[in-house]
């Protein structure tokens, strides 16, 4: 039976090679909400992001993923992207010789979105301006010599151009500087305002959440979701870390 959630994982377990990483994950994200996934290093948060995107480095050993009313457990990353899923790249791409503008054009076309060239040029120029990005960057080689903040602007430009139904942003290990943090924060705000987007944010940088209304915080420890609650959990974790959840988990 189709659920009313945009994303719904049921009993999801996944492994890399033969090593089990995720165990029996149940996660439900309604459309239009902002969910945050937190947990200690190595808990499996990035793995969940990759499994949701269909990364072939991981295999689903049990359970299912439903997205927008359809079972996507077996879908290729490309089809998931077309269905409206977006995963931010922790290591943003660098493609010497390819202007950012051409890359974005190819991305839009690859998704099967119809857009006339004039309309496309207008749209990316507007988005660049909204993100405080010098439009000259659109004609520079993708990612080459871009600062951390500029790479994040490209990522947020992709997000706002693609208007996915669900954006999974994994910022955990990327060591964002203050500039890049504010770009991500602004990008997420715009995505909420302009696209009424749904967010699953994986982060340690709770400052990037300050301008968002967080609906639910999920805590992952050792490949399992061990707690979920309202945004107050973020302050608790900021102050006290994950020890309580780790203890809870081992007591089971
Ligand atoms: P987090 O993002 O919460 O820090 P990860 O999802 O990156 O955690 O990693 C969870 C665990 O799975 C770690 O022990 C990591 O070494 C392991 N792992 C992740 N990806 C792979 C992989 N492709 N091959 C083998 N082990 C992996
Ligand atoms: Mg990670």
């Amino acid at each position: 039976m189709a659920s009313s959630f945009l994303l719904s994982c049921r009993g999801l377990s996944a492994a890399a090679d033969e090593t089990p990483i995720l165990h029996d994950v149940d996660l439900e994200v309604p459309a239009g909400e902002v969910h945050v996934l937190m947990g200690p290093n190595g808990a499996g948060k990035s793995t969940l992001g990759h499994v949701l995107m269909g990364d072939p480095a991981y295999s689903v050993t049990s359970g299912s993923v439903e997205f927008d009313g359809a079972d996507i457990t077996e879908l290729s990353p490309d089809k998931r992207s077309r269905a409206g899923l977006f995963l931010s790249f922790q290591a943003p791409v660098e493609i010497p010789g390819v202007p950012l503008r051409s890359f974005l054009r190819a991305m839009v076309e690859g998704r099967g979105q119809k857009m006339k060239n004039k309309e496309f040029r207008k749209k990316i120029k507007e988005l660049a301006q909204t993100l405080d990005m010098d439009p000259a960057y659109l004609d520079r080689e993708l990612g080459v010599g871009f600062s951390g903040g500029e790479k994040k602007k490209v990522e947020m430009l992709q997000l706002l151009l693609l208007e996915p139904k669900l954006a999974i942003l994994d910022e955990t290990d990327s060591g964002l500087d203050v500039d890049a943090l504010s770009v991500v924060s602004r990008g997420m705000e715009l995505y909420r305002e302009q696209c009424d987007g749904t967010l699953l944010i994986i982060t340690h940088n709770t400052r990037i959440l300050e301008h968002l209304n967080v609906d639910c915080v999920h805590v992952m420890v050792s490949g399992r979701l061990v707690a979920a609650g309202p945004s107050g959990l973020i302050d608790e974790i900021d102050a006290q870390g994950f020890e309580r959840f780790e203890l809870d988990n081992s007591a089971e």
Side-chain angles (χ1 to χ4, degrees):
M1 199 182 76
S3 73
S4 58
F5 299 104
L6 178 61
L7 175 76
S8 160
C9 305
R10 295 209 191 91
L12 185 67
S13 299
D17 298 321
E18 301 294 299
T19 313
I21 300 176
L22 299 179
H23 307 277
D24 205 17
V25 169
D26 288 315
L27 173 69
E28 283 160 342
V29 182
E33 291 200 354
V34 177
H35 286 225
V36 176
L37 176 61
M38 302 182 83
N41 280 332
K45 306 178 299 295
S46 297
T47 298
L48 179 60
H50 283 94
V51 167
L52 291 176
M53 209 57 216
D55 184 336
Y58 303 92
S59 54
V60 171
T61 49
S62 64
S64 63
V65 183
E66 198 180 276
F67 180 68
D68 205 14
D71 188 321
I72 62 161
T73 320
E74 303 295 331
L75 280 195
S76 66
D78 179 53
K79 288 200 173 122
R80 292 183 201 218
S81 164
R82 283 166 184 257
L85 261 172
F86 176 97
L87 175 67
S88 74
F89 304 95
Q90 262 192 0
V93 270
E94 258 183 46
I95 316 182
V98 175
L100 172 56
R101 185 190 301 281
S102 313
F103 172 77
L104 293 172
R105 184 80 185 139
M107 189 184 72
V108 167
E109 277 167 9
R111 279 272 305 259
Q113 279 170 261
K114 295 262 176 288
M115 208 187 273
K116 290 210 174 73
N117 200 35
K118 201 174 157 196
E119 189 192 338
F120 170 77
R121 294 184 76 91
K122 184 165 171 266
K123 174 110 185 181
I124 54 171
K125 194 173 166 200
E126 278 170 7
L127 287 176
Q129 279 162 350
T130 337
L131 286 166
D132 239 347
M133 177 196 240
D134 181 350
Y137 268 89
L138 295 168
D139 295 308
R140 284 184 48 178
E141 293 176 282
L142 178 62
V144 180
F146 285 26
S147 71
E150 286 154 359
K151 285 180 178 170
K152 282 290 154 189
K153 283 185 186 178
V154 173
E155 191 176 287
M156 292 301 123
L157 190 60
Q158 286 178 295
L159 173 66
L160 296 172
L161 188 61
L162 287 176
E163 302 185 354
K165 290 177 183 144
L166 173 68
I168 304 166
L169 302 182
D170 187 349
E171 306 297 346
T172 313
D173 310 310
S174 48
L176 299 182
D177 60 22
V178 177
D179 254 15
L181 277 176
S182 70
V183 170
V184 173
S185 172
R186 175 96 182 106
M188 292 193 302
E189 250 184 297
L190 287 168
Y191 172 62
R192 293 284 302 127
E193 283 166 16
Q194 297 183 356
C195 318
D196 195 23
T198 309
L199 280 163
L200 179 60
I201 307 162
I202 303 170
T203 191
H204 285 311
N205 293 306
T206 50
R207 267 187 305 162
I208 66 172
L209 306 172
E210 276 168 12
H211 300 288
L212 291 170
N213 277 320
V214 171
D215 294 287
C216 186
V217 181
H218 305 269
V219 182
M220 179 172 271
V221 175
S222 305
R224 293 175 195 278
L225 288 179
V226 294
S231 60
L233 255 185
I234 296 171
D235 300 328
E236 189 194 320
I237 290 168
D238 264 348
Q240 294 165 31
F242 295 105
E243 207 171 321
R244 168 165 88 77
F245 305 103
E246 286 167 330
L247 289 174
D248 282 0
N249 190 38
S250 58
E252 267 174 31

